[in-house]
DNA sequence: TTCTAAATAT
DNA sequence: TATATTTAGA
């Protein structure tokens, strides 16, 4: 009896995992998957990254990274290649530089840092869904970023809505109540400029987000929507006449009234005006790109359509 | 279950 | 203090 007990104990003890096999109490706050996703390097660990996780859209992340790494006049440049490595690690302290090879299951979810790249993805998702349908779960699914939770998105959405609300106030009342309603979304002159504001400003807020009755307009132009290079020819993807054209205007969120249409970034203008403004952006004749972030301009310049024309892809990183 | 606003934690 | 997470009520 007693001998059996001691045998059992010895056996049990023998089967205990070695210290190397034990999951450390302190773990990295950024999961390997997330680290891969956002190209976060841990200075403490020389580990190289593993191949990207299956669900992660690595191409899009890479695109985003490239855009962020090249110097831009845009304010987003200050976020630069720092893709969240700053704040993320501090919380748990105890920097146990665990050289884990297998995905470390974090005991507590790491504090997510919303980088401009991640936020842009968020905005793209919201824009794609339309404000009406943009709820955390759907947004999360559309973003398809490994490790991103519904709670993360819900929290961010909460802040983003507050931001939009504030921007609406600025655009409607606070800003002298301009009549054309095409002011690019930004904080210039508002006096509000927190880090969060800069983050939100780093991705363009589609103009129709700020319309009180935004659901009158269909969501965002689909990914496939492209505008040809203005210098050569601007052909918004509107074809046809009469009801057909109107339908398309509605579909793309454009207002067909008075021959003007609603550009997601530039607001309501005649096509001619938009041609000029976009053209100026491309050729560096304006600095703020009328609300379009530099990454978009860069995409505009780099993208080339099959027919050789340069194109502006409204969803440079989008899927569809 | 999920969303949202508010409270709480870091 | 700013921002992310958690909680609680709908």
């Amino acid at each position: 009896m007693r001998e059996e007990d001691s045998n059992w104990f010895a056996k049990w003890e023998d089967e205990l995992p070695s210290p190397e096999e034990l999951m450390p109490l302190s773990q990295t706050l950024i999961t390997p998957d997330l680290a891969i996703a956002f190209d976060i390097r841990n200075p403490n660990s020389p580990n190289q990254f593993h191949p990207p996780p299956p669900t992660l859209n690595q191409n899009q992340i890479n695109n985003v990274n490239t855009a962020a790494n090249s110097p831009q006049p845009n304010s987003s440049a200050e976020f630069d290649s720092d893709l969240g490595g700053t704040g993320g690690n501090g919380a748990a302290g105890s920097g146990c530089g665990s050289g884990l090879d297998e995905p470390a299951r974090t005991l507590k979810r790491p504090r997510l840092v919303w980088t401009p790249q991640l936020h842009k993805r968020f905005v793209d998702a919201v824009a794609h869904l339309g404000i009406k349908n943009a709820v955390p779960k759907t947004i999360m699914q559309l973003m398809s970023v490994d490790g991103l939770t519904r709670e993360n998105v819900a929290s961010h959405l909460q802040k983003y809505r507050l931001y939009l609300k504030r921007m609406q106030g600025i655009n409607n009342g606070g800003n002298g109540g301009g009549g054309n309603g095409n002011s690019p979304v930004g904080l210039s002159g508002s006096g509000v400029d927190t880090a969060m504001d800069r983050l939100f400003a780093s991705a363009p807020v589609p103009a129709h987000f700020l319309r009180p009755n935004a659901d009158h307009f269909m969501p965002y132009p689909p990914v496939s929507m492209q505008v040809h290079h203005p210098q050569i020819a601007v052909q918004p993807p509107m074809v046809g006449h009469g009801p057909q054209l109107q339908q398309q205007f509605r579909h793309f969120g454009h207002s067909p009234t008075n021959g003007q249409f609603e550009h997601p970034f530039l607001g309501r203008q005649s096509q001619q005006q938009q041609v000029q403004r976009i053209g100026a952006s491309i050729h560096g004749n304006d600095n703020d790109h009328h609300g379009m972030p530099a990454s978009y301009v860069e995409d505009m310049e780099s993208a080339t359509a099959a027919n050789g024309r340069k194109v502006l892809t409204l969803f440079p990183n989008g899927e569809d």
Side-chain angles (χ1 to χ4, degrees):
Chain A
M1 189 60 118
R2 199 156 293 196
E3 207 176 26
E4 276 180 13
D5 282 347
S6 80
N7 280 344
W8 170 86
F9 182 82
K11 201 174 172 186
W12 171 80
E13 192 178 27
D14 208 30
E15 288 173 355
L16 283 176
S18 69
E20 292 78 23
E21 298 171 55
L22 286 173
M23 181 88 68
L25 288 176
S26 300
Q27 299 167 44
T28 53
L29 288 173
I30 297 177
T31 65
D33 285 352
L34 267 182
I36 293 166
F38 299 106
D39 198 18
I40 298 168
R41 285 156 213 288
N42 181 357
N44 297 329
S45 118
N47 269 2
Q48 282 310 309
F49 296 130
H50 299 279
T55 55
L56 180 72
N57 196 332
Q58 186 70 43
N59 276 344
Q60 296 187 335
I61 299 296
N62 283 346
N63 286 344
V64 160
N65 287 345
T66 343
N69 285 339
S70 54
Q72 302 291 345
N74 194 286
S75 66
S76 70
E78 69 188 74
F79 294 102
D80 205 40
S81 57
D82 177 10
L83 299 175
T86 46
N89 278 331
S94 130
C96 163
S98 67
L100 283 185
D101 280 79
E102 67 179 30
R105 291 186 179 275
T106 50
L107 298 172
K108 198 177 179 185
R109 278 237 160 243
R111 192 182 172 95
L112 176 71
V113 176
W114 282 87
T115 65
Q117 292 74 32
L118 192 55
H119 174 66
K120 181 183 177 305
R121 213 171 164 75
F122 167 87
V123 172
D124 280 353
V126 172
H128 193 70
L129 291 165
I131 300 186
K132 221 172 115 185
N133 303 321
V135 290
K137 190 180 179 184
T138 335
I139 297 171
M140 179 195 68
Q141 289 168 341
L142 197 53
M143 288 178 73
S144 74
V145 171
D146 262 6
L148 189 68
T149 67
R150 192 167 52 84
E151 288 78 13
N152 291 142
V153 174
S155 170
H156 195 65
L157 182 61
Q158 182 177 15
K159 304 301 285 294
Y160 190 59
R161 281 175 176 155
L162 289 174
Y163 170 79
L164 290 183
K165 208 171 171 182
R166 216 173 66 227
M167 294 308 298
Q168 271 182 7
I170 289 171
N171 275 6
N172 295 337
N175 223 10
N180 58 4
N182 68 353
S183 60
V185 175
L187 288 166
S188 51
S190 70
V192 188
D193 190 24
T194 65
M196 207 56 182
D197 287 332
R198 287 195 295 275
L199 172 66
F200 287 148
S202 73
V205 178
H208 66 276
F209 274 23
L210 301 181
R211 304 181 71 87
N213 48 356
D215 34 334
H216 283 201
F217 296 88
M218 280 297 289
Y220 209 48
V223 177
S224 54
M225 174 182 175
Q226 294 182 336
V227 179
H228 290 113
H229 191 292
Q231 190 188 30
I232 305 166
V234 167
Q235 282 297 328
M238 314 284 168
V239 293
H241 301 281
Q244 190 192 354
L245 182 58
Q246 289 203 352
Q247 168 64 29
Q248 291 182 58
F249 268 117
R250 265 196 295 279
H251 178 70
F252 291 121
H254 296 162
S255 166
T257 55
N258 298 329
Q260 299 192 320
F261 76 108
E262 191 86 6
H263 187 285
F265 303 138
L266 301 181
R268 181 177 301 191
Q269 294 179 308
S270 72
Q271 289 187 16
Q272 183 63 32
Q273 284 174 301
Q274 297 199 7
V275 169
Q276 290 167 354
R277 296 181 69 175
I278 297 176
S281 294
I282 289 180
H283 295 105
N285 296 330
D286 86 301
N287 291 326
D288 65 2
H289 308 305
H290 298 291
M292 280 187 290
S295 62
Y296 276 80
V297 178
E298 191 176 78
D299 282 316
M300 286 161 58
E301 290 181 310
S302 60
T304 306
N307 61 6
R309 283 178 170 172
K310 290 195 172 182
V311 296
L312 159 63
T313 305
L314 294 179
F315 268 111
N317 302 308
E319 52 264 329
D320 232 10

